[in-house]
Amino acid sequence: MAHDFDTMLRTIKDKQWSLADVDWDAPGAETITDEQRPKLKQFMADLVWIENIGAMGFAALADKAPTETIKQIYKYFHAEEQKHANAELALMKRWGMLDDGETPEPTVQVKMAIWVLDNFSDDMPLTGLATLIPMLECALDGALVKFLLDEVSDPVCHEVFRHINSDESRHIAVDFQVLDVVGAGPVRRQLIESAAVLKPQVLLGLIVVFVPLLNKMRDNIVAMGLSEQKLYNAVKRFVSNGDRSANTRRIPAYQMFKQQARMVIDRTHPYHRFLADPLVKLTNAFPARLLGKPPSWSKELTHEPVDR
Amino acid sequence: MNTTTGVLVIGAGFSGLGTAIRLSQAGITDFVICERAGDVGGTWRDNTYPGAGCDVPSLVYSYSFAPNPNWSRAYSGGAEILAYIRHMTDQFGLRERIRFNTDITRLVYDDDTGTWTASTKDGHTITARAVVSAVGALANASYPGIDGLDTYRGHTMLSSAWDHSYDFTGKHVAVIGTGASAVQIVPELVAMAATVKVFQRTPGWVLPKANPHHPSWLTELFRRVPTTQTALRQALFYGHEAMALGVVWDSAVTTLLQQVSRRYLRRAVADPWLRRRLTPDYRMGCKRILITSDYYPALQAPNCKLITWPIYALSANGIRTAEGIEHQVDCVVFATGFDVYNAGTPFPISGSGGRVLGDEWLAGAKAYKSVAVAGYPNLFFTLGPNSGPGHNSLLVYSEAQIDYIVQAISLIRRDGLRSLEVRKDVQEEFNRDLQRRLARTTWNSGCSSWYLTGDGFNATMYPGFATQYARGLATLDPDDYLATKAG
């Protein structure tokens, strides 16, 4: 299938928006109830950090992009994920969840994910990252954001997520187009790339960090009232998008993440009892100070639409 | 009003003045120099931004026929280079030969008379047997096409047209671009302004620059024993020649130079994320190498910030980037480079039979030895197509072109020729060989740069050593040309 990445890049440039376009003082903040606030704060904080991790994922992808145009697209996506995190912070600020200049404290699982991305994202093969990111985005777009918009009636929140969803639809479209391109490559390369996933540091990073990160968020959100059906729909979207391309189906990393996604949504699967839940417990007890100073890229988030 | 002269030299920058000096020394004195501005100096007259300087040592970045023992340091600043050009102009009595504020708008060749007629903006014409176009490679700059540029209410300036009346003290400033000019401007602005945000699209490879002052005894030695200056110039020249092995050709030396640059980056920049954003992802030499020891420290100053998010628009108060933030600033400095004529000409040139050079160069400029073009007799270029070095002094190339041009004009005069025109087949063969050799160079190794046209055609750089280039131009072979006798 031929993909027109040049047109996509032009569209991305044309569709840019800024936090300054949003009236953050418009009425509607008062619709958030005191009952909602603490849980919503945790949800939003998780969302912000997932966006930030996604941003860094795109930065790593930009370095591995198969063409110059795709590289440019990934550079924009890196910035857009950062924009989404910034906008979500601005919503938190609007809802009285943050002080001036404050960024929510990441969970230990997020800190570990940041550490792994900072240290090993360059070692991760293109196919691994290129598959992981659309999976996260489908979950974000299909479940988390839909849930948020069901729960929150603040019109500013809805306005912001109209922008975010529009961006995400392009991210997901490109993600799958790139998987199609990568999957069309020679089998030999697929095998080499798959072998790279098996490098101890990459495998350990994926299992020890992303398994509990996903599970903790999953459980947090389900506890807040997100129906498992929404998660199921999100994964279905990931799988149906991916399976549509014979090339994508050939990618071992895609097959791997597809299986993982299926296990994540099914709470009765032994995956939870034997791997994910124990890892959540284990990582909860992990002393975050061992990870050292957080990288400077994780400190660039801001809720201020204007910087002087 | 029409003026008739033997040779018309267009431009009073380094190349134009150098041509005039060498013409005079060859006994050709009926020439006119037209300069569009009110002073000599070309790019060094225009680029007066704070920190402007040359990244080639002054002993080599000067003409061998106009040595200057008084350079104050290894790499002189722009003001000192401009002073050298002005001094050279007076020393060789050229000022009265220059028509200042004379902007050439068109150049037309007459096949019957074998002469060129130049039209000027103020309605005059100048007719000459031979024309030397010394308009410079980096003479014009314009604002880049960023959305909303016209809506921005703050101050703007181009690095090449610095507004010296603007006081940066206490101001919030943005610099767009991180090329050769920007890395010189940023350290100066960081020292002056309240905050500086540097907007980078692509990082450059940086090599540190040691810039010692010339001690007084050295200057004295150069004055008393000029051969010592010549010897040091030669040593520096050959030192730079060696760099070609890594800068011109994509080779193991390129990798070695990249390692030197990476090591310098690691030593100079502590933060891994900043380091990563400053690490280029293309082969060194593919874009112009940045020679500076001041840039990395300036970027890490508390009042300076490197922004690598893509710019998508300017708004009334600042710059909007794709991470959703509006960066509000009082002034935007555009250090975004020059309009390089690698696919056109700065003014219309009609040659033999009415052919238009701009049309012929649309797909990429081509010439013979960068100096002459088939179909355009008696017209010669300095800094023409494929004459750019990536590793050595441009003036070495310029000097070779000038001496070649002087040979050509001397031949026209000696043999009383109506026209001297390079043979088309010779030019084509020359360019076939040139493009074949360019394929192996760093410039053609895959990055996009101002060296290449939009289609990736390299019409700017010379794929070889400066010595090789100069040797190629040392002797004009009359067999390469079609000569027509007058009358």
Side-chain angles (χ1 to χ4, degrees), chain A residues 66-85:
Chain A
T67 69
E68 183 55 33
T69 307
I70 296 175
K71 183 198 242 348
Q72 291 302 322
I73 290 175
Y74 281 149
K75 281 187 174 173
Y76 269 92
F77 286 180
H78 172 205
E80 286 178 351
E81 293 290 345
Q82 187 85 1
K83 171 158 55 190
H84 301 168

Side-chain angles (χ1 to χ4, degrees), chain B residues 94-323:
Chain B
L94 296 176
R95 207 165 279 275
E96 56 269 25
R97 315 295 300 271
I98 304 170
R99 287 198 188 175
F100 288 109
N101 305 307
T102 303
D103 199 359
I104 304 291
T105 54
R106 160 167 220 97
L107 204 52
V108 180
Y109 182 69
D110 183 340
D111 283 295
D112 296 334
T113 59
T115 57
W116 286 92
T117 299
S119 308
T120 68
K121 207 173 196 170
D122 51 9
H124 299 307
T125 53
I126 301 160
T127 303
R129 170 72 61 204
V131 174
V132 180
S133 170
V135 295
L138 306 177
N140 295 302
S142 49
Y143 284 100
I146 300 178
D147 280 353
L149 186 62
D150 50 338
T151 62
Y152 176 61
R153 290 197 306 249
H155 201 78
T156 58
M157 65 179 89
L158 292 169
S159 60
S160 56
W162 199 261
D163 178 359
H164 289 275
S165 66
Y166 187 78
D167 182 9
F168 283 92
T169 317
K171 298 289 196 324
H172 300 275
V173 185
V175 177
I176 299 182
T178 52
S181 301
V183 300
Q184 294 180 341
I185 291 168
V186 169
E188 300 289 327
L189 285 182
V190 165
M192 282 191 279
T195 63
V196 179
K197 286 187 173 180
V198 181
F199 291 81
Q200 170 190 284
R201 189 168 57 182
T202 316
W205 285 103
V206 174
L207 290 173
K209 170 169 156 182
N211 193 9
H213 281 277
H214 282 180
S216 52
W217 62 262
L218 188 66
T219 307
E220 201 49 42
L221 183 68
F222 288 163
R223 279 188 199 143
R224 285 169 189 242
V225 193
T227 47
T228 54
Q229 184 174 349
T230 312
L232 191 52
R233 177 188 162 97
Q234 285 300 94
L236 285 167
F237 170 76
Y238 284 110
H240 279 78
E241 279 292 79
M243 294 283 283
L245 295 171
V247 176
V248 174
W249 294 284
D250 190 358
S251 68
V253 183
T254 317
T255 308
L256 188 74
L257 286 171
Q258 287 183 183
Q259 278 167 4
V260 172
S261 177
R262 278 212 187 91
R263 202 158 296 165
Y264 169 60
L265 175 63
R266 207 158 34 236
R267 221 183 52 223
V269 177
D271 179 45
W273 176 235
L274 180 58
R275 242 182 2 238
R276 180 179 166 148
R277 290 184 296 151
L278 289 169
T279 305
D281 63 353
Y282 54 86
R283 297 290 281 167
M284 186 189 256
C286 191
K287 289 173 191 280
R288 187 162 160 189
I289 298 171
L290 309 172
I291 317 279
T292 168
S293 296
D294 305 328
Y295 181 57
Y296 288 157
L299 277 184
Q300 295 169 93
N303 64 333
C304 188
K305 196 172 179 190
L306 178 73
I307 312 278
T308 49
W309 307 114
I311 293 174
Y312 77 86
L314 255 70
S315 62
N317 299 313
I319 297 169
R320 289 188 172 189
T321 39
E323 94 288 23

